[in-house]
Amino acid sequence: MTGLTSRLAAWPAALAWQLLPGRCVLCEQASNCARDLCAECHAALPWLGHVCPQCALPQLADTDPMPATVESASATTPCSACLLHPPPYLRCIVPLRYATPVAQMIQRVKFANGRVEARVLGGLLGDHLRQQTAADVDLIVPVPLGIRRLLRRGHNQAGLLAHWVGRATQLPVDHELCRRTRATPAQSGLSRRARLRNLRGAFAVRTRIDGVRIAVVDDVVTTGATVAALSRALLDAGAAAVHVWAVARTLDPQPLESSPH
Ligand SMILES: [Zn+2]
Ligand SMILES: [Zn+2]
């Protein structure tokens, strides 16, 4: 696309928010952009900064509170824990820390079907990884909820987020590929080892996916046990590689996460 045609193509969106300015989901002022989040609230979010590319845990002095791109946000060498015991996923990309106000926004997506919050958070994640990472992936798969939780809540928060990440990255989303094979007790309060045991064999993949590069989308990564179990199931079904894309990462060993999947 030439410079002129890309500018013309951007007109309707630019015009739309000039006529109907978005309202910031956090401060309720006009956002003055296509997203329902104003520039001040965007800048004040708890950005993770420099993290390990494989587990998304901070590993360098965090001097850059809001990296512009994932390239500037992440070190290129995995942390010593990942070098010693590599997780089954190739990369884990998470822009935000699970802290106020992101935690409250995620809770709204999870328990109150917060569609505005899902659009804002999914869009933020999509923007964060769009430049570099989408080219390495063929298909987006949300972490599935168990049928009982799905019936109780009526929606899967990872599915809502995956929808918006798919829109931002122009990648297809398959909401049906994976399912939970059994109810797993709540993960809160369990150690990583107990979580891994709890999740063994918990996911099934409906069809072979030989050679497909998958991005698993979730709301929060805590110990990584859930996304590791799903990654193993996808690799067993033939996936060429699995990436993990999540909105937020808990850094506290006793996370805020009140009700994981
Ligand atoms: Zn605001
Ligand atoms: Zn790591």
mmCIF file of all heavy atoms in Angstrom, residues 156-182:
data_model
loop_
_atom_site.group_PDB
_atom_site.id
_atom_site.type_symbol
_atom_site.label_atom_id
_atom_site.label_comp_id
_atom_site.label_asym_id
_atom_site.label_seq_id
_atom_site.Cartn_x
_atom_site.Cartn_y
_atom_site.Cartn_z
ATOM 1 N N ASN A 156 -16.342 -17.668 27.883
ATOM 2 C CA ASN A 156 -14.950 -17.974 28.223
ATOM 3 C C ASN A 156 -14.136 -16.698 28.049
ATOM 4 O O ASN A 156 -14.051 -16.154 26.951
ATOM 5 C CB ASN A 156 -14.428 -19.081 27.293
ATOM 6 C CG ASN A 156 -12.953 -19.375 27.504
ATOM 7 O OD1 ASN A 156 -12.329 -18.863 28.438
ATOM 8 N ND2 ASN A 156 -12.390 -20.187 26.627
ATOM 9 N N GLN A 157 -13.545 -16.213 29.142
ATOM 10 C CA GLN A 157 -12.821 -14.937 29.066
ATOM 11 C C GLN A 157 -11.661 -15.020 28.077
ATOM 12 O O GLN A 157 -11.379 -14.045 27.363
ATOM 13 C CB GLN A 157 -12.321 -14.502 30.455
ATOM 14 C CG GLN A 157 -11.167 -15.296 31.035
ATOM 15 C CD GLN A 157 -11.632 -16.553 31.746
ATOM 16 O OE1 GLN A 157 -12.812 -16.912 31.703
ATOM 17 N NE2 GLN A 157 -10.701 -17.236 32.392
ATOM 18 N N ALA A 158 -10.991 -16.180 27.988
ATOM 19 C CA ALA A 158 -9.886 -16.317 27.035
ATOM 20 C C ALA A 158 -10.405 -16.235 25.601
ATOM 21 O O ALA A 158 -9.740 -15.693 24.714
ATOM 22 C CB ALA A 158 -9.151 -17.638 27.271
ATOM 23 N N GLY A 159 -11.635 -16.755 25.386
ATOM 24 C CA GLY A 159 -12.246 -16.687 24.060
ATOM 25 C C GLY A 159 -12.556 -15.260 23.655
ATOM 26 O O GLY A 159 -12.336 -14.858 22.507
ATOM 27 N N LEU A 160 -13.075 -14.463 24.611
ATOM 28 C CA LEU A 160 -13.359 -13.047 24.321
ATOM 29 C C LEU A 160 -12.080 -12.314 23.948
ATOM 30 O O LEU A 160 -12.042 -11.543 22.979
ATOM 31 C CB LEU A 160 -13.972 -12.358 25.553
ATOM 32 C CG LEU A 160 -15.413 -12.673 25.934
ATOM 33 C CD1 LEU A 160 -15.821 -11.874 27.160
ATOM 34 C CD2 LEU A 160 -16.350 -12.374 24.775
ATOM 35 N N LEU A 161 -11.028 -12.543 24.708
ATOM 36 C CA LEU A 161 -9.755 -11.865 24.433
ATOM 37 C C LEU A 161 -9.177 -12.334 23.096
ATOM 38 O O LEU A 161 -8.696 -11.520 22.298
ATOM 39 C CB LEU A 161 -8.758 -12.141 25.569
ATOM 40 C CG LEU A 161 -9.151 -11.536 26.918
ATOM 41 C CD1 LEU A 161 -8.343 -12.158 28.042
ATOM 42 C CD2 LEU A 161 -8.972 -10.017 26.900
ATOM 43 N N ALA A 162 -9.255 -13.654 22.849
ATOM 44 C CA ALA A 162 -8.702 -14.204 21.608
ATOM 45 C C ALA A 162 -9.377 -13.586 20.382
ATOM 46 O O ALA A 162 -8.729 -13.335 19.357
ATOM 47 C CB ALA A 162 -8.860 -15.728 21.593
ATOM 48 N N HIS A 163 -10.675 -13.326 20.494
ATOM 49 C CA HIS A 163 -11.400 -12.705 19.384
ATOM 50 C C HIS A 163 -10.739 -11.381 18.994
ATOM 51 O O HIS A 163 -10.491 -11.121 17.810
ATOM 52 C CB HIS A 163 -12.859 -12.474 19.790
ATOM 53 C CG HIS A 163 -13.602 -11.579 18.849
ATOM 54 N ND1 HIS A 163 -14.087 -12.020 17.639
ATOM 55 C CD2 HIS A 163 -13.897 -10.257 18.916
ATOM 56 C CE1 HIS A 163 -14.664 -11.013 17.009
ATOM 57 N NE2 HIS A 163 -14.568 -9.923 17.761
ATOM 58 N N TRP A 164 -10.416 -10.556 19.996
ATOM 59 C CA TRP A 164 -9.843 -9.232 19.704
ATOM 60 C C TRP A 164 -8.382 -9.318 19.301
ATOM 61 O O TRP A 164 -7.907 -8.511 18.502
ATOM 62 C CB TRP A 164 -10.048 -8.290 20.902
ATOM 63 C CG TRP A 164 -11.496 -7.957 21.031
ATOM 64 C CD1 TRP A 164 -12.364 -8.431 21.968
ATOM 65 C CD2 TRP A 164 -12.277 -7.132 20.149
ATOM 66 N NE1 TRP A 164 -13.630 -7.953 21.731
ATOM 67 C CE2 TRP A 164 -13.597 -7.153 20.625
ATOM 68 C CE3 TRP A 164 -11.980 -6.389 18.999
ATOM 69 C CZ2 TRP A 164 -14.631 -6.457 20.007
ATOM 70 C CZ3 TRP A 164 -13.005 -5.693 18.383
ATOM 71 C CH2 TRP A 164 -14.300 -5.733 18.876
ATOM 72 N N VAL A 165 -7.668 -10.302 19.828
ATOM 73 C CA VAL A 165 -6.281 -10.497 19.393
ATOM 74 C C VAL A 165 -6.276 -10.935 17.922
ATOM 75 O O VAL A 165 -5.444 -10.486 17.131
ATOM 76 C CB VAL A 165 -5.565 -11.540 20.286
ATOM 77 C CG1 VAL A 165 -4.163 -11.812 19.778
ATOM 78 C CG2 VAL A 165 -5.503 -11.047 21.726
ATOM 79 N N GLY A 166 -7.237 -11.786 17.565
ATOM 80 C CA GLY A 166 -7.358 -12.212 16.166
ATOM 81 C C GLY A 166 -7.642 -11.033 15.250
ATOM 82 O O GLY A 166 -7.079 -10.928 14.156
ATOM 83 N N ARG A 167 -8.519 -10.133 15.706
ATOM 84 C CA ARG A 167 -8.824 -8.941 14.897
ATOM 85 C C ARG A 167 -7.572 -8.094 14.705
ATOM 86 O O ARG A 167 -7.306 -7.593 13.615
ATOM 87 C CB ARG A 167 -9.911 -8.108 15.591
ATOM 88 C CG ARG A 167 -11.286 -8.730 15.568
ATOM 89 C CD ARG A 167 -12.044 -8.396 14.297
ATOM 90 N NE ARG A 167 -12.411 -7.000 14.236
ATOM 91 C CZ ARG A 167 -13.612 -6.516 14.558
ATOM 92 N NH1 ARG A 167 -14.567 -7.349 14.933
ATOM 93 N NH2 ARG A 167 -13.882 -5.234 14.481
ATOM 94 N N ALA A 168 -6.794 -7.921 15.775
ATOM 95 C CA ALA A 168 -5.612 -7.049 15.704
ATOM 96 C C ALA A 168 -4.510 -7.666 14.847
ATOM 97 O O ALA A 168 -3.780 -6.945 14.172
ATOM 98 C CB ALA A 168 -5.089 -6.761 17.113
ATOM 99 N N THR A 169 -4.377 -8.993 14.895
ATOM 100 C CA THR A 169 -3.264 -9.640 14.186
ATOM 101 C C THR A 169 -3.679 -10.205 12.836
ATOM 102 O O THR A 169 -2.822 -10.688 12.101
ATOM 103 C CB THR A 169 -2.699 -10.808 15.022
ATOM 104 O OG1 THR A 169 -3.786 -11.690 15.350
ATOM 105 C CG2 THR A 169 -2.052 -10.321 16.302
ATOM 106 N N GLN A 170 -5.007 -10.193 12.537
ATOM 107 C CA GLN A 170 -5.519 -10.764 11.284
ATOM 108 C C GLN A 170 -5.272 -12.270 11.221
ATOM 109 O O GLN A 170 -5.091 -12.828 10.138
ATOM 110 C CB GLN A 170 -4.859 -10.106 10.063
ATOM 111 C CG GLN A 170 -4.879 -8.603 10.078
ATOM 112 C CD GLN A 170 -6.138 -8.062 9.413
ATOM 113 O OE1 GLN A 170 -6.365 -8.299 8.249
ATOM 114 N NE2 GLN A 170 -6.943 -7.377 10.183
ATOM 115 N N LEU A 171 -5.234 -12.915 12.381
ATOM 116 C CA LEU A 171 -5.047 -14.363 12.399
ATOM 117 C C LEU A 171 -6.373 -15.043 12.729
ATOM 118 O O LEU A 171 -7.180 -14.504 13.504
ATOM 119 C CB LEU A 171 -4.021 -14.749 13.469
ATOM 120 C CG LEU A 171 -2.560 -14.464 13.134
ATOM 121 C CD1 LEU A 171 -1.690 -14.606 14.382
ATOM 122 C CD2 LEU A 171 -2.060 -15.396 12.033
ATOM 123 N N PRO A 172 -6.622 -16.246 12.166
ATOM 124 C CA PRO A 172 -7.861 -16.956 12.507
ATOM 125 C C PRO A 172 -7.840 -17.454 13.945
ATOM 126 O O PRO A 172 -6.771 -17.721 14.498
ATOM 127 C CB PRO A 172 -7.870 -18.133 11.516
ATOM 128 C CG PRO A 172 -6.452 -18.319 11.116
ATOM 129 C CD PRO A 172 -5.779 -16.975 11.211
ATOM 130 N N VAL A 173 -9.037 -17.553 14.547
ATOM 131 C CA VAL A 173 -9.186 -18.046 15.927
ATOM 132 C C VAL A 173 -10.048 -19.302 15.876
ATOM 133 O O VAL A 173 -11.124 -19.279 15.280
ATOM 134 C CB VAL A 173 -9.876 -16.988 16.819
ATOM 135 C CG1 VAL A 173 -9.958 -17.484 18.267
ATOM 136 C CG2 VAL A 173 -9.143 -15.655 16.744
ATOM 137 N N ASP A 174 -9.584 -20.391 16.488
ATOM 138 C CA ASP A 174 -10.385 -21.618 16.543
ATOM 139 C C ASP A 174 -10.830 -21.841 17.989
ATOM 140 O O ASP A 174 -10.027 -22.216 18.843
ATOM 141 C CB ASP A 174 -9.565 -22.812 16.035
ATOM 142 C CG ASP A 174 -10.438 -24.040 15.824
ATOM 143 O OD1 ASP A 174 -11.478 -24.158 16.514
ATOM 144 O OD2 ASP A 174 -10.087 -24.887 14.976
ATOM 145 N N HIS A 175 -12.130 -21.589 18.243
ATOM 146 C CA HIS A 175 -12.660 -21.717 19.604
ATOM 147 C C HIS A 175 -13.021 -23.165 19.938
ATOM 148 O O HIS A 175 -13.359 -23.466 21.072
ATOM 149 C CB HIS A 175 -13.911 -20.843 19.770
ATOM 150 C CG HIS A 175 -13.624 -19.366 19.670
ATOM 151 N ND1 HIS A 175 -13.349 -18.579 20.760
ATOM 152 C CD2 HIS A 175 -13.561 -18.544 18.588
ATOM 153 C CE1 HIS A 175 -13.132 -17.330 20.360
ATOM 154 N NE2 HIS A 175 -13.258 -17.278 19.052
ATOM 155 N N GLU A 176 -12.998 -24.032 18.919
ATOM 156 C CA GLU A 176 -13.480 -25.410 19.121
ATOM 157 C C GLU A 176 -12.373 -26.449 19.144
ATOM 158 O O GLU A 176 -12.624 -27.606 19.428
ATOM 159 C CB GLU A 176 -14.452 -25.791 17.976
ATOM 160 C CG GLU A 176 -15.556 -24.782 17.705
ATOM 161 C CD GLU A 176 -16.509 -24.671 18.882
ATOM 162 O OE1 GLU A 176 -16.691 -25.684 19.575
ATOM 163 O OE2 GLU A 176 -17.028 -23.570 19.118
ATOM 164 N N LEU A 177 -11.151 -26.056 18.800
ATOM 165 C CA LEU A 177 -10.084 -27.049 18.620
ATOM 166 C C LEU A 177 -9.783 -27.820 19.908
ATOM 167 O O LEU A 177 -9.578 -29.027 19.882
ATOM 168 C CB LEU A 177 -8.802 -26.359 18.113
ATOM 169 C CG LEU A 177 -7.619 -27.280 17.860
ATOM 170 C CD1 LEU A 177 -7.916 -28.228 16.686
ATOM 171 C CD2 LEU A 177 -6.345 -26.484 17.572
ATOM 172 N N CYS A 178 -9.765 -27.112 21.027
ATOM 173 C CA CYS A 178 -9.384 -27.755 22.290
ATOM 174 C C CYS A 178 -10.542 -27.752 23.264
ATOM 175 O O CYS A 178 -11.360 -26.841 23.267
ATOM 176 C CB CYS A 178 -8.220 -27.004 22.926
ATOM 177 S SG CYS A 178 -6.787 -26.975 21.883
ATOM 178 N N ARG A 179 -10.572 -28.764 24.100
ATOM 179 C CA ARG A 179 -11.568 -28.773 25.168
ATOM 180 C C ARG A 179 -10.952 -29.395 26.412
ATOM 181 O O ARG A 179 -9.926 -30.078 26.345
ATOM 182 C CB ARG A 179 -12.822 -29.536 24.743
ATOM 183 C CG ARG A 179 -12.569 -30.982 24.458
ATOM 184 C CD ARG A 179 -13.802 -31.703 23.955
ATOM 185 N NE ARG A 179 -13.456 -33.060 23.568
ATOM 186 C CZ ARG A 179 -13.360 -34.082 24.408
ATOM 187 N NH1 ARG A 179 -13.620 -33.913 25.690
ATOM 188 N NH2 ARG A 179 -13.013 -35.280 23.990
ATOM 189 N N ARG A 180 -11.592 -29.115 27.534
ATOM 190 C CA ARG A 180 -11.189 -29.759 28.785
ATOM 191 C C ARG A 180 -11.807 -31.139 28.812
ATOM 192 O O ARG A 180 -12.993 -31.297 28.511
ATOM 193 C CB ARG A 180 -11.725 -28.968 29.982
ATOM 194 C CG ARG A 180 -11.195 -27.575 30.063
ATOM 195 C CD ARG A 180 -10.236 -27.437 31.213
ATOM 196 N NE ARG A 180 -9.655 -26.105 31.181
ATOM 197 C CZ ARG A 180 -8.756 -25.670 32.057
ATOM 198 N NH1 ARG A 180 -8.326 -26.468 32.999
ATOM 199 N NH2 ARG A 180 -8.278 -24.464 31.964
ATOM 200 N N THR A 181 -11.011 -32.128 29.172
ATOM 201 C CA THR A 181 -11.549 -33.488 29.205
ATOM 202 C C THR A 181 -12.194 -33.791 30.540
ATOM 203 O O THR A 181 -12.976 -34.710 30.667
ATOM 204 C CB THR A 181 -10.428 -34.512 28.969
ATOM 205 O OG1 THR A 181 -9.388 -34.220 29.893
ATOM 206 C CG2 THR A 181 -9.913 -34.418 27.555
ATOM 207 N N ARG A 182 -11.838 -33.034 31.553
ATOM 208 C CA ARG A 182 -12.433 -33.283 32.870
ATOM 209 C C ARG A 182 -12.348 -31.999 33.665
ATOM 210 O O ARG A 182 -11.533 -31.119 33.368
ATOM 211 C CB ARG A 182 -11.691 -34.404 33.597
ATOM 212 C CG ARG A 182 -10.209 -34.115 33.755
ATOM 213 C CD ARG A 182 -9.495 -35.262 34.446
ATOM 214 N NE ARG A 182 -8.046 -35.134 34.322
ATOM 215 C CZ ARG A 182 -7.297 -34.357 35.075
ATOM 216 N NH1 ARG A 182 -7.850 -33.607 36.013
ATOM 217 N NH2 ARG A 182 -5.986 -34.295 34.905
#
